[in-house]
Amino acid sequence: MTEEMLDALDRAGVRLTGPRRKLAALIERREGHFTAADLLKDAGRRRMGIGRATVFRLLELLSEQGLVERIDLPDGTHAYIPCEPTHHHHLVCLNCGATTDVDDCGIEAVTREAARRSGFKIEQHRLELFGRCPDCRSSN
């Protein structure tokens, strides 16, 4: 995934600095969703000397390329999920943070019906489903 991220950024004309390369590697090691604070903490532990602005700018660049998505968590905070640059939705475990991508899950039909009933021309949508993953459910 790190090489895919870096290749996509390079194709978009983004300068691939040492700190950006290091952050991409940190993102690749993450499991489940993560926050900018998580990346800063990881970089700090590894004494990478990477600042907040660099983290937030890289997350913005990766988001623009569809390589991470920002998700809004039920507690009002937000996090990021590495993903493929195709349209999909997320299942997020509230316990461990594990994520799973799903392609449609029936939302296309709901979107068409909402557009029909409202007269809106719906141009985009996003769906995040929160619950407990099979591992967390079986451990309780």
Side-chain angles (χ1 to χ4, degrees):
M1 179 75 159
T2 301
E3 285 307 313
E4 291 173 38
M5 278 187 200
L6 296 175
D7 288 346
L9 291 174
D10 188 45
R11 284 190 306 275
V14 173
R15 232 174 86 232
L16 298 176
T17 63
R20 287 179 177 164
R21 290 174 184 278
K22 290 175 184 176
L23 285 173
L26 288 179
I27 290 170
E28 182 178 40
R29 290 187 201 119
R30 305 270 337 157
E31 291 190 26
H33 59 75
F34 62 91
T35 64
D38 293 332
L39 286 181
L40 278 168
K41 191 184 314 179
D42 287 352
R45 268 190 249 130
R46 290 173 173 78
R47 301 184 199 282
M48 293 179 167
I50 295 172
R52 289 176 50 87
T54 301
V55 169
F56 281 101
R57 181 65 181 135
L58 180 64
L59 290 171
E60 181 182 327
L61 291 167
L62 292 172
S63 182
E64 289 169 2
Q65 298 304 310
L67 298 167
V68 298
E69 280 189 37
R70 179 180 153 157
I71 61 169
D72 298 313
L73 300 172
D75 67 0
T77 63
H78 65 270
Y80 297 88
I81 299 175
C83 53
E84 297 296 320
T86 59
H87 184 76
H88 60 275
H89 306 285
H90 299 109
L91 303 173
V92 181
C93 181
L94 292 167
N95 190 52
C96 71
T99 61
T100 301
D101 295 349
V102 291
D103 291 330
D104 177 21
C105 69
I107 193 68
E108 295 301 327
V110 171
T111 303
R112 281 191 303 276
E113 181 61 15
R116 187 189 69 74
R117 287 183 182 198
S118 68
F120 268 73
K121 179 181 183 279
I122 298 173
E123 296 175 5
Q124 61 181 326
H125 64 269
R126 185 174 84 178
L127 178 66
E128 296 157 357
L129 302 167
F130 299 91
R132 306 266 183 246
C133 71
D135 290 342
C136 289
R137 287 185 31 236
S138 67
S139 67
N140 289 334

